[in-house]
Amino acid sequence: MDLRQPLTVGAAPYPFSFDPAETALVVIDMQRDFLEPGGFGESLGNDVGQLRKVIDPLRAVLAACRVAGMTVIHTREGHLPDLSDCPPAKLLRGSPRARIGDPGPKGRILVRGEDGHDIIEELYPAPGEPVIDKPGKGAFYATDFGDLLVSHGIRKLVVTGVTTEVCVHTTVREANDRGYECLVLSDCVGSYFPEFQRAGLEMIAAQGGIFGWTAPSEAFLAALAGTSAASQPR
Ligand code: TIU
């Protein structure tokens, strides 16, 4: 495929054009701690089952982006073993019996290097794909994500992962303020709360695309494959 060819995705609020050579797929926090029982997500009182529907569509997008030769960047939310990068205000939230750093079924909750902190098998990074370890919700805060985008010549982001209204939104807002154009794939982002999923997606594309664009993965995949289905209005 010619990576310099601009492609167009049928998206809200209007079509999203991108050059795959200047666009990164960002996969946010697809970690066991959020998607499997016993981790951070569940310790905050959430039903982790809600997030698992993202896995299959995101797996297809990840495969297609790899075939197209696009930059793929993964993130993980988590903290140093001594928790020195975890603000006390964050540490004190959630169940008192299962806080960040406490032992869980997959190791210490949301601590780097533990089993639960790592990315689920289905979406595991390929060799050479950067993994950004972040202490906050946004991918830019206290990481080298911004420098990585600049060094790779990236101008646009295709954003996926969990959760829609927390780490996905925070990252999209940070990116938007830094001048990046973001397409959020609606079935490749997930929330523990269906109403937040719907509102979170609507907020991105509202007001003429105040934070970016949204589209189903099918439209993005069609654009990448160069088929006419890519530019159907949604
Ligand atoms: N709680 C919740 O919805 N999300 C997070 O704490 N982190 C991310 O979204 N990754």
Side-chain angles (χ1 to χ4, degrees), residues 28-29 31 34 40-41 44 46 51 77 90 110 134 136-137 162-168 190-193:
I28 297 179
D29 301 0
Q31 298 162 252
F34 293 107
F40 182 58
L44 297 175
N46 297 308
L51 301 191
E77 180 180 350
K90 182 177 183 184
L110 220 64
K134 60 188 182 66
K137 305 304 183 193
V162 297
T163 63
T164 306
E165 75 279 16
V166 182
C167 292
V168 170
S191 172
Y192 298 116
F193 308 95

Side-chain angles (χ1 to χ4, degrees), residues 37-56:
F40 182 58
E42 197 175 71
S43 80
L44 297 175
N46 297 308
D47 168 14
V48 295
Q50 282 292 335
L51 301 191
R52 299 194 66 83
K53 49 186 96 154
V54 169
I55 297 173
D56 282 347

Side-chain angles (χ1 to χ4, degrees), residues 74-191:
H74 305 259
T75 72
R76 296 184 297 201
E77 180 180 350
H79 297 280
L80 299 169
D82 67 3
L83 306 184
S84 58
D85 60 351
C86 184
K90 182 177 183 184
L91 198 52
L92 292 173
R93 277 176 239 163
S95 162
R97 290 180 309 282
R99 297 207 192 285
I100 294 169
D102 285 351
K106 296 169 197 311
R108 293 178 67 203
I109 293 173
L110 220 64
V111 169
R112 294 181 193 172
E114 302 286 340
D115 207 36
H117 172 263
D118 209 356
I119 293 168
I120 58 170
E121 209 59 50
E122 295 92 325
L123 300 170
Y124 210 75
E129 288 176 355
V131 179
I132 300 292
D133 278 318
K134 60 188 182 66
K137 305 304 183 193
F140 288 85
Y141 170 68
T143 73
D144 58 5
F145 184 58
D147 291 341
L148 189 71
L149 296 180
V150 171
S151 70
H152 281 67
I154 299 299
R155 294 174 42 249
K156 304 196 181 194
L157 307 178
V158 175
V159 183
T160 64
V162 297
T163 63
T164 306
E165 75 279 16
V166 182
C167 292
V168 170
H169 246 263
T170 307
T171 299
V172 167
R173 289 169 188 233
E174 287 180 326
N176 185 65
D177 282 349
R178 287 164 174 79
Y180 293 97
E181 294 191 319
C182 297
L183 172 67
V184 178
L185 298 184
S186 52
D187 52 339
C188 294
V189 294
S191 172

